Amino acid sequence: MSSTTLPYYLNKIEKLRSICSQNVSNFLSLCTLNHWSLNKSLFSINDYYKIIISKNFEETRNEAFLIRNLAMQEIHLPKEKPFRPSLTMIWWHRENILT
């Protein structure tokens, strides 16, 4: 990311943070590895709550626990809809973070 786009990008994050940071629908419960992977743009979630893998992410081994093996698996959701992750926030992550 260039230094000219960084302020714009940070401004977008701050706006989003101010709107949604205290909203339970903006949270996901993830293990450490998946939290890091989500933050590093290795995967995101589609509008059907299924995992999508970044097109730029490459794995060279064929192991049982590779991130690619999670592709199109549905995440576990709370039964109560108000506690589910917001599709708006998921969309934002896909559009602004996932590469």
Side-chain angles (χ1 to χ4, degrees):
M1 181 177 303
S2 73
S3 60
T4 58
T5 59
L6 187 59
Y8 171 75
Y9 181 73
L10 291 176
N11 188 32
K12 286 179 78 173
I13 290 175
E14 277 307 311
K15 283 182 182 178
L16 184 69
R17 186 177 295 150
S18 68
I19 294 168
C20 301
S21 65
Q22 300 304 316
N23 186 338
V24 70
S25 67
N26 190 36
F27 292 93
L28 289 172
S29 179
L30 300 170
C31 71
T32 303
L33 176 62
N34 288 338
H35 179 91
W36 178 87
S37 299
L38 187 75
N39 285 344
K40 294 294 183 182
S41 303
L42 302 183
F43 76 89
S44 191
I45 301 166
N46 70 17
D47 289 341
Y48 302 100
Y49 295 107
K50 291 187 178 187
I51 297 171
I52 52 175
I53 309 299
S54 170
K55 293 174 183 156
N56 296 328
F57 179 64
E58 295 181 21
E59 291 176 310
T60 57
R61 296 171 50 185
N62 191 13
E63 300 288 333
F65 297 105
L66 296 178
I67 290 177
R68 287 240 175 257
N69 293 337
L70 299 175
M72 297 311 294
Q73 290 189 26
E74 189 169 335
I75 65 171
H76 296 282
L77 296 169
K79 291 180 183 175
E80 299 85 8
K81 286 186 179 185
F83 298 112
R84 292 182 182 175
S86 163
L87 288 175
T88 302
M89 297 297 99
I90 291 172
W91 171 85
W92 188 93
H93 182 269
R94 277 195 319 265
E95 295 298 313
N96 295 279
I97 306 297
L98 187 67
T99 56

